Amino acid sequence: MSIQTASDFTFERWQAVAEKALKKPETRLFIGGDYVDAIDGQRFDTVNPANLEAIATMSAANAKDVDAAVASARKAFRSGVWSRMAPRHRMEIMYRFTKLIDEHAEQLAVLDTLNMGKPISDVLQIDIPSVIQTIQFMAEYIDKIEGAVTNTESDVMHYVLREPIGVVGAISPWNYPMLMATWKFAPALSAGNTVVLKPAEQAPLSCLRLAELFTEAGGPAGVLNVVNGIGEVAGKALALHSDVDKITFTGSTEVGKLLLQYSGQSNMKRVSLECGGKSPQLFMADVADLDRAVASAYDGVYANMGEVCNAGSRLLVQKKIHDEFVERFIAEGKDAYVPGDPLDPETNLGPLVTSEAQQRVLSFIESGKEEGAELKFGGDIPGGMTGAYVNPTLFTKVNNSMRIAREEIFGPVASVIPFDTIDEAISIANDTIYGLAAGVWTQDLSQAHRLVKEIDAGIIWVNSFDEGDMTQPFGGYKQSGNARDNCIESLLSYTQSKSAWIRLN
Ligand code: NAD
């Protein structure tokens, strides 16, 4: 069923779809165009966080399976079956792939909802359309990747080719299971590389199906492989593998740092990192539309259960408007996100990804209380729910040295930090190891430009938050990473230049 048709499904219909999907989900690895069991037969459970029941027992790749997947990707790369395919033909396969994703939207959506608790409406309205857009955007550039002929001495012809890098290892997180994986494999494949994808162990089901659909669309065997598995085993083996030419990663800063080490310990492969964040939103007293700003504040930290790398979790509010801001936030934001069954199309707040994540978020909330922040609402588990739920939470009287202001919570927890002057706001905004994104709310053009220049972040939204399109480079400053997703810069980062210097006489 297409996205459009599935968008009309009722809760009961989704429950029936889920029941069917759980009867026999695909749990094996996808290597060389086929499903295969893990060589040593190891397995791990993947759990539905909405009811804490195991939904599938997945094959768990170890170093041997990763080796097989890399060998398959290398063979496909060397054969030229993909990298030397006529660009138009490669584009056709990618477009057919997007068509199949749309046709299978119902099945893909239910897998992510069951696997990580994301509300089904979000998967249909955000994740799947963005997956399709990403593949389309990258595919549109396949026959537009250009080299150069340089202006040099007359007896020499010098040209520069842009070639694919080779075998790309992609390691992705669970918060947007399909989309974060697509941000990696779509540009890598479009540039002519072959890929071994290691999806997050919390939500691997949909990525397996994506790889199968790529093959159904005409993608040659071995070009896109998927190795489910535990990060410290399968992910580590991939990142240490000496026949992998590049690792592209989205996940925590902690694991990002390990990947840099693995590269140094193996073959100095390139490492592109999209890591964590602790994004500030700055609300200056002259904000034009306080209601819109407040809505953007709670959407920016409660959407996707707060499990968003660029979540605006630090709300820096100028003292002149502080009380009014907090009052409106409580009036409008407290009940804007209501916990419910993520299969219900009316639900906009599902459970957190696991019980461990729930406990982690609750412990941050405890630390906020202990360190003297004022809990305005939430901070607890919603009554009557068995899953890994946490209510939307608001703290005021936060200062930037508290743990809730310094560490990435990855849950629906907002912290209001008051400030007096713009200098103070800039200093608080930049007082973090992260630099992924920021929001700025002001009517004053000079003030807006100054904030854009002085905040250390890869993305700054002015009078908006968390919007954009495929042309927008997505990535961070500082320990939020060193890569950019989505834009042309991303596509080119999966190519390397080759210089041909030809003496003519
Ligand atoms: P994570 O770092 O725990 O895991 C990410 C991936 O790395 C998973 O596939 C995991 O299995 C793998 N992994 C774990 N240990 C590994 C190891 N030793 N070697 C190799 N691979 C290993 O992150 P997560 O919990 O899945 O995702 C949440 C994090 O992702 C947050 O920090 C969030 O900010 C970040 N994130 C960043 C962006 C961005 O674009 N900057 C987007 C989404 C999420």
Side-chain angles (χ1 to χ4, degrees):
M1 292 287 174
S2 68
I3 299 175
Q4 214 177 348
T5 314
S7 300
D8 292 333
F9 284 10
T10 58
F11 185 19
E12 291 69 33
R13 177 86 186 256
W14 279 116
Q15 285 173 312
V17 173
E19 203 177 313
K20 191 168 153 221
L22 289 178
K23 277 208 176 110
K24 206 173 177 306
E26 185 52 70
T27 58
R28 292 170 291 173
L29 315 177
F30 192 78
I31 300 178
D34 267 322
Y35 283 113
V36 293
D37 284 314
I39 293 169
D40 289 338
Q42 282 152 347
R43 295 197 157 256
F44 65 96
D45 280 345
T46 184
V47 170
N48 178 355
N51 57 19
L52 306 182
E53 285 170 15
I55 53 176
T57 305
M58 310 296 299
S59 284
N62 64 18
K64 291 183 208 165
D65 304 291
V66 168
D67 214 26
V70 172
S72 156
R74 175 61 62 193
K75 188 167 161 229
F77 184 70
R78 277 208 201 295
S79 74
V81 65
W82 182 247
S83 61
R84 292 201 289 273
M85 182 184 275
R88 279 274 143 196
H89 188 188
R90 223 192 295 155
M91 289 162 89
E92 278 162 23
I93 292 174
M94 296 297 269
Y95 293 144
R96 214 175 300 138
F97 182 26
T98 61
K99 214 166 159 278
L100 288 178
I101 292 171
D102 182 44
E103 283 168 17
H104 292 83
E106 162 196 340
Q107 184 197 20
L108 292 167
V110 89
L111 291 178
D112 271 0
T113 292
L114 289 170
N115 225 184
M116 57 75 66
K118 188 191 289 272
I120 195 88
S121 300
D122 286 2
V123 192
L124 284 172
Q125 281 159 25
I126 300 166
D127 296 47
I128 298 182
S130 308
V131 163
I132 290 174
Q133 263 175 32
T134 305
I135 299 170
Q136 275 170 348
F137 179 87
M138 294 300 167
E140 279 157 13
Y141 272 89
I142 290 177
D143 64 354
K144 295 163 196 73
I145 299 173
E146 290 183 340
V149 178
T150 68
N151 189 12
T152 187
E153 54 181 288
S154 58
D155 285 348
V156 165
M157 163 81 172
H158 176 228
Y159 61 88
V160 183
L161 296 173
R162 285 235 145 246
E163 296 192 329
I165 297 174
V167 175
V168 172
I171 302 178
S172 57
W174 46 263
N175 61 339
Y176 293 82
M178 282 183 276
L179 184 60
M180 293 300 101
T182 305
W183 279 13
K184 308 299 175 190
F185 71 65
L189 293 176
S190 295
N193 301 279
T194 57
V195 173
V196 177
L197 167 67
K198 208 302 278 173
E201 51 269 48
Q202 295 84 350
L205 290 169
S206 57
C207 283
L208 281 172
R209 188 70 183 115
L210 280 183
E212 196 185 357
L213 291 177
F214 173 71
T215 309
E216 268 178 58
V223 171
L224 177 57
N225 307 275
V226 181
V227 285
N228 327 309
I230 305 301
E232 295 78 7
V233 181
K236 183 173 177 182
L238 188 60
L240 275 171
H241 204 293
S242 284
D243 207 23
V244 169
D245 301 297
K246 167 166 173 150
I247 283 288
T248 174
F249 169 78
T250 296
S252 61
T253 293
E254 192 188 348
V255 173
K257 288 181 182 180
L258 288 176
L259 299 179
L260 291 167
Q261 290 181 29
Y262 299 155
S263 168
Q265 287 161 11
S266 53
N267 59 343
M268 271 174 58
K269 55 180 70 67
R270 291 151 197 236
V271 181
S272 289
L273 303 172
E274 293 284 3
C275 299
K278 193 72 199 173
S279 301
Q281 282 223 64
L282 278 60
F283 299 90
M284 306 304 294
D286 71 340
V287 54
D289 181 346
L290 192 58
D291 281 331
R292 203 162 66 79
V294 166
S296 166
Y298 59 73
D299 286 339
V301 65
Y302 297 153
N304 208 49
M305 294 72 74
E307 296 168 324
V308 181
C309 50
N310 58 270
S313 51
R314 290 187 298 148
L315 305 173
L316 278 51
V317 185
Q318 200 156 24
K319 280 184 185 156
K320 272 190 218 149
I321 56 163
H322 175 274
D323 292 353
E324 198 182 345
F325 181 95
V326 170
E327 214 172 277
R328 290 200 205 184
F329 193 111
I330 295 170
E332 292 154 33
K334 186 166 176 280
D335 300 318
Y337 286 79
V338 183
D341 189 320
L343 285 171
D344 183 346
E346 299 299 317
T347 294
N348 64 0
L349 193 89
L352 296 179
V353 65
T354 56
S355 301
E356 294 76 36
Q358 179 194 39
Q359 290 312 313
R360 191 172 164 274
V361 171
L362 291 172
S363 81
F364 270 113
I365 292 169
E366 279 315 303
S367 84
K369 290 191 228 164
E370 279 160 22
E371 289 188 84
E374 192 171 306
L375 181 67
K376 288 292 192 185
F377 62 76
D380 55 353
I381 298 173
M385 314 291 276
T386 46
Y389 291 84
V390 172
N391 271 320
T393 298
L394 175 68
F395 277 112
T396 57
K397 301 198 176 140
V398 177
N399 73 54
N400 206 49
S401 60
M402 294 177 183
R403 272 188 70 210
I404 52 171
R406 301 207 76 76
E407 295 180 39
E408 192 180 29
I409 300 177
F410 233 56
V413 182
S415 292
V416 175
I417 304 176
F419 70 87
D420 272 316
T421 64
I422 184 167
D423 291 324
E424 193 188 351
I426 293 168
S427 148
I428 298 171
N430 288 338
D431 178 19
T432 167
I433 62 164
Y434 299 110
L436 185 53
V440 163
W441 293 81
T442 177
Q443 289 187 68
D444 179 336
L445 203 55
S446 314
Q447 193 160 253
H449 284 300
R450 182 175 168 207
L451 289 166
V452 168
K453 281 194 176 171
E454 295 194 26
I455 294 175
D456 300 329
I459 308 153
I460 316 251
W461 286 285
V462 178
N463 295 329
S464 77
F465 195 73
D466 202 12
E467 46 178 78
D469 63 22
M470 289 302 308
T471 63
Q472 183 189 35
F474 192 99
Y477 277 29
K478 303 199 279 188
Q479 293 185 40
S480 288
N482 59 10
R484 295 293 179 269
D485 282 326
N486 283 348
C487 54
I488 294 308
E489 195 182 332
S490 160
L491 178 68
L492 294 180
S493 76
Y494 294 90
T495 67
Q496 56 192 338
S497 69
K498 179 184 274 174
S499 145
W501 182 271
I502 305 169
R503 173 108 355 238
L504 297 176
N505 62 354

